[in-house]
Amino acid sequence: MTLICYSLIAGSRTHACILRCGHPIRTAAIASSTAKEPSTSVVITNVPEKVEKIGFFKKLVYRFKGIPLKDESHAPISFMRDIGKQFVPPPLPELPKDFKEYPERDLVNYPYPVQRMYPPKLRLLIVPDKFMSAFHKYTGTSGPYVFFTMLYAFLHSKGLFEIAHDRIKIVVLLFYYYIFSRAFDYRLDKYIYERRKQLEKDYLDIVDNNFKEVRYAQKESKAEKEAYLAMKEYYPTIFKETLALQLEATYRKNVERLATEMQHRLDYLQETVSVKRSFAHSYMLKWIIDSVMAEILSDKENIKERYMENCIEQLKLLSPQG
């Protein structure tokens, strides 16, 4: 924009048009003005680098192979990264040559089995190589394949294995089996091996803990035995003193029980006498009151008037005192 304004001020519209058209591509040229000024030229270039384009299928191949792209800092994790790998566990320790589980075992004809380093070789994904190699002596290397082809032709001619549209499922299943077996066999074998080692370690830990408990019990038993031997000669005296203490404790308990029972008996007798005395007193008092009331009510020998006159006289005597 600065160059455009400068050209307009200089009076050259042609130069301004050239600059306006050349601005998007970052190039500009300024010629000499009409005033015969010295020629000046300015060139600005910014050419982008040539970037290699990666197509969809190429990216897919890179993903399957685990190859990072240009703008990735690390390789991607592919589920097919373990294709072609074979998990080989560490070899087991060899048995001594003179080891025998039982003395009568025949190690020459019946040796101990040895774990194979690799699984047996297969043909056609499921057929053992030993079965296929048995044909080589009579038919050559192509014999087993011809055998399976003829077997299929025979079954097809008898109508036992006809060609139909759904037979393609077998090919698809075999393809999936091949892909997944090649992709996951390594991880599956590794997981099973590590899991088996962990289970074995747990089992050995249980055995070790049992041995520790047995050793601890043996140690405690030995300590108790030593303590028994150290106190063995004092046991008769200890038994006598213990028996005497038990007898004394029983005697004191019986004396305490006797004292308690005697106290209960005395309390009972005292309460009985008190109740009898109280009952006799209340009965006597009631009998006297009832007898007096009966005589007053019957007015025997004019006792009622005399009783009333006596009461009035006593009240008269008491009134001045009040």
Side-chain angles (χ1 to χ4, degrees), residues 65-127:
K65 292 183 178 181
I67 301 175
L69 300 177
K70 187 175 181 180
D71 55 345
E72 293 179 344
S73 59
H74 55 83
I77 299 176
S78 174
F79 81 99
M80 302 183 71
R81 63 186 180 275
D82 296 326
I83 285 183
K85 291 184 180 180
Q86 183 70 37
F87 178 75
V88 180
L92 297 175
E94 296 182 359
L95 290 174
K97 294 182 179 180
D98 56 346
F99 174 77
K100 284 188 177 183
E101 188 177 3
Y102 297 100
E104 61 273 10
R105 184 182 179 100
D106 185 6
L107 297 178
V108 177
N109 298 322
Y110 302 98
Y112 288 103
V114 180
Q115 184 181 9
R116 294 184 178 183
M117 189 64 70
Y118 297 97
K121 186 178 179 181
L122 299 177
R123 300 280 188 91
L124 301 176
L125 301 178
I126 56 175
V127 182

Side-chain angles (χ1 to χ4, degrees), residues 30-89:
I30 302 177
S32 59
S33 62
T34 55
K36 296 183 180 181
E37 295 179 355
S39 61
T40 306
S41 63
V42 178
V43 179
I44 302 173
T45 59
N46 186 8
V47 180
E49 296 181 0
K50 190 175 181 180
V51 180
E52 182 184 359
K53 293 184 179 180
I54 300 177
F56 172 76
F57 293 102
K58 196 168 185 179
K59 285 184 180 180
L60 192 63
V61 172
Y62 280 7
R63 284 290 180 264
F64 274 102
K65 292 183 178 181
I67 301 175
L69 300 177
K70 187 175 181 180
D71 55 345
E72 293 179 344
S73 59
H74 55 83
I77 299 176
S78 174
F79 81 99
M80 302 183 71
R81 63 186 180 275
D82 296 326
I83 285 183
K85 291 184 180 180
Q86 183 70 37
F87 178 75
V88 180

Side-chain angles (χ1 to χ4, degrees), residues 1 3 6 13 43 99 105 111 130-131 140 143 145 169 184 192 197 199 204-206 212 217 229 294 321:
M1 294 299 294
L3 295 175
Y6 174 77
R13 295 183 179 179
V43 179
F99 174 77
R105 184 182 179 100
K130 185 177 181 180
F131 177 81
Y145 302 102
K169 296 178 182 178
F184 298 106
I192 293 174
K197 281 187 65 177
L199 292 175
L204 293 177
D205 290 341
I206 294 173
K212 288 180 181 179
L229 293 176
Q321 296 178 2

Side-chain angles (χ1 to χ4, degrees), residues 79-276:
F79 81 99
M80 302 183 71
R81 63 186 180 275
D82 296 326
I83 285 183
K85 291 184 180 180
Q86 183 70 37
F87 178 75
V88 180
L92 297 175
E94 296 182 359
L95 290 174
K97 294 182 179 180
D98 56 346
F99 174 77
K100 284 188 177 183
E101 188 177 3
Y102 297 100
E104 61 273 10
R105 184 182 179 100
D106 185 6
L107 297 178
V108 177
N109 298 322
Y110 302 98
Y112 288 103
V114 180
Q115 184 181 9
R116 294 184 178 183
M117 189 64 70
Y118 297 97
K121 186 178 179 181
L122 299 177
R123 300 280 188 91
L124 301 176
L125 301 178
I126 56 175
V127 182
D129 181 70
K130 185 177 181 180
F131 177 81
M132 304 287 279
S133 300
F135 286 86
H136 294 175
K137 184 178 179 180
Y138 305 99
T139 61
T141 56
S142 61
Y145 302 102
V146 174
F147 169 76
F148 283 109
T149 304
M150 293 297 103
L151 178 63
Y152 171 75
F154 173 76
L155 294 176
H156 178 66
S157 65
K158 299 300 181 181
L160 300 176
F161 196 85
E162 298 179 356
I163 298 176
H165 296 288
D166 57 347
R167 299 303 180 195
I168 194 64
K169 296 178 182 178
I170 298 177
V171 180
V172 175
L173 290 176
L174 290 175
F175 174 75
Y176 282 142
Y177 169 75
Y178 177 77
I179 292 296
F180 282 96
S181 63
R182 297 279 291 173
F184 298 106
D185 269 355
Y186 174 78
R187 276 173 276 180
L188 183 62
D189 293 343
K190 186 177 180 181
Y191 170 77
I192 293 174
Y193 176 75
E194 292 177 354
R195 181 62 180 167
R196 183 68 183 85
K197 281 187 65 177
Q198 184 63 33
L199 292 175
E200 185 177 358
K201 182 178 179 300
D202 296 341
Y203 174 74
L204 293 177
D205 290 341
I206 294 173
V207 175
D208 291 340
N209 292 332
N210 292 337
F211 276 124
K212 288 180 181 179
E213 292 178 359
V214 170
R215 285 193 289 268
Y216 178 76
Q218 290 177 349
K219 185 177 179 181
E220 291 293 325
S221 177
K222 185 178 179 180
E224 292 177 359
K225 185 178 180 181
E226 292 177 354
Y228 170 75
L229 293 176
M231 297 293 295
K232 184 177 180 180
E233 58 182 0
Y234 300 105
Y235 274 175
T237 306
I238 293 172
F239 288 153
K240 289 180 181 180
E241 292 179 356
T242 304
L243 182 59
L245 290 174
Q246 290 178 356
L247 292 174
E248 184 178 359
T250 305
Y251 171 75
R252 290 180 180 276
K253 186 176 180 180
N254 292 335
V255 169
E256 184 179 359
R257 182 179 178 184
L258 179 61
T260 304
E261 292 295 332
M262 290 296 294
Q263 184 66 33
H264 290 170
R265 176 64 65 177
L266 292 174
D267 292 342
Y268 172 74
L269 294 175
Q270 185 178 1
E271 188 69 22
T272 303
V273 173
S274 176
V275 169
K276 286 182 178 180

